[in-house]
Amino acid sequence: MFAVLLPAAPAHATDKSEEIPILIAESIDARGNQLPTPAIISAVVNLLAEETGLNLVIRAYPWRRALVMAEQGEGLLYGAASTPERQRVFRFTKPVYDANQWLVSSEQAPLVFHRWEDLRGKVISIGGGGKFGPEFEARRDKLFKIEQNATSTESRMKMLSAHHVDAVLLDSFRNPAQLGASLNCRFPNDHWVVADKSVGFEPLLIAVPKNASMNKLLPVLNNAITHLVRNGSMQKAVDSVANVTGC
């Protein structure tokens, strides 16, 4: 269905002159317009491209579409959690960095989260198709309810402000103060608070299709990630875009 949307992966994926798509979940505004690539993704992908010499090119699509395209071997999938289902078609890189999962609520009705029982009966907005840590997944639709129909972060925040949901769950490399400052800058129609305790964290991974052309990229990426983490370059890249005051 999606094969015509993007050229097939190159026959020799380690040919550094060939484009290697990095498929990401697109960010859109309330009118459906695509927003720029998040700075953290650009920083990480540019660093990996520089370290490996590979021609890594970011391509943004709705998450489910990006997932299907990656399953068909049309690119690497950025930020995919490793699940038993995905392990059948992907191999995963070493962790690039850790992303915490933060509950965001409105200051008008702040959600206090210290233990799982605090979420009993709550409605939590997540991105469509999103999966989180095992403790969260074991309790979803049992202890608390999930809402995942909103198409953008902006629309999710509007639902939160209108009290249609009790909290929005966001993955972020930022700490609570940094994330709160960023959200209040980006969405000033309300005042947002971020719970001090995360519901969990996931290592940021890149999913590599098991087809022959893409699979050979895994050791190249892993060697680069190992070197960049050890010499501190990856953390510097993350810190450079975790600006507390900026949008």
Side-chain angles (χ1 to χ4, degrees):
M1 178 177 177
F2 300 117
V4 298
L5 299 175
L6 193 70
H12 303 288
T14 51
D15 179 350
K16 296 181 179 181
S17 66
E18 296 282 357
E19 286 191 357
I20 299 168
I22 303 289
L23 306 173
I24 69 169
E26 68 177 359
S27 297
I28 59 174
D29 63 21
R31 291 172 291 279
N33 299 315
Q34 192 172 103
L35 297 172
T37 299
I40 181 63
I41 298 179
S42 295
V44 168
V45 172
N46 290 341
L47 192 60
L48 286 173
E50 182 180 347
E51 180 70 18
T52 61
L54 297 172
N55 188 11
L56 305 177
V57 181
I58 297 170
R59 305 284 189 221
Y61 297 95
W63 175 252
R64 289 188 177 91
R65 182 166 156 189
L67 176 60
V68 171
M69 292 171 72
E71 288 173 343
Q72 295 177 344
E74 298 179 39
L76 309 176
L77 187 62
Y78 185 97
S82 177
T83 65
E85 297 80 13
R86 291 174 185 168
Q87 288 170 9
R88 289 196 286 268
V89 292
F90 297 116
R91 297 174 71 194
F92 292 84
T93 65
K94 293 181 177 181
V96 179
Y97 60 82
D98 286 336
N100 281 294
Q101 298 154 354
W102 301 109
L103 287 166
V104 179
S105 56
S106 168
E107 192 176 52
Q108 302 173 44
L111 176 65
V112 176
F113 173 63
H114 296 301
R115 56 197 180 100
W116 288 108
E117 191 61 26
D118 294 332
L119 302 184
R120 181 170 295 280
K122 303 298 184 183
V123 180
I124 299 173
S125 170
I126 68 171
K131 291 188 180 295
F132 298 89
E135 290 189 284
F136 183 89
E137 292 298 317
R139 292 169 173 83
R140 63 186 283 177
D141 297 320
K142 297 173 185 175
L143 182 67
F144 49 84
K145 296 180 180 179
I146 289 297
E147 202 293 324
Q148 54 181 330
N149 293 322
T151 58
S152 69
T153 301
E154 184 176 359
S155 59
R156 292 170 67 194
M157 302 305 281
K158 286 182 177 179
M159 289 177 64
L160 179 57
S161 187
H163 307 294
H164 296 317
V165 298
D166 297 294
V168 167
L169 185 58
L170 296 175
D171 278 332
S172 182
F173 61 96
R174 292 181 166 96
N175 64 36
Q178 292 169 336
L179 179 59
S182 175
L183 292 172
N184 282 304
C185 184
R186 291 171 59 198
F187 309 112
N189 59 298
D190 203 331
H191 190 78
W192 315 108
V193 292
V194 182
D196 293 333
K197 177 183 171 67
S198 72
V199 302
F201 74 92
E202 289 283 342
L204 189 287
L205 308 173
I206 298 173
V208 181
K210 287 184 176 180
N211 66 313
S213 60
M214 286 290 178
N215 192 46
K216 65 181 69 175
L217 292 171
L218 186 64
V220 178
L221 291 169
N222 277 340
N223 287 340
I225 291 167
T226 296
H227 183 250
L228 292 168
V229 169
R230 283 179 179 171
N231 69 16
S233 297
M234 188 61 73
Q235 189 59 50
K236 287 180 181 177
V238 172
D239 291 343
S240 71
V241 294
N243 187 348
V244 173
T245 59
C247 291

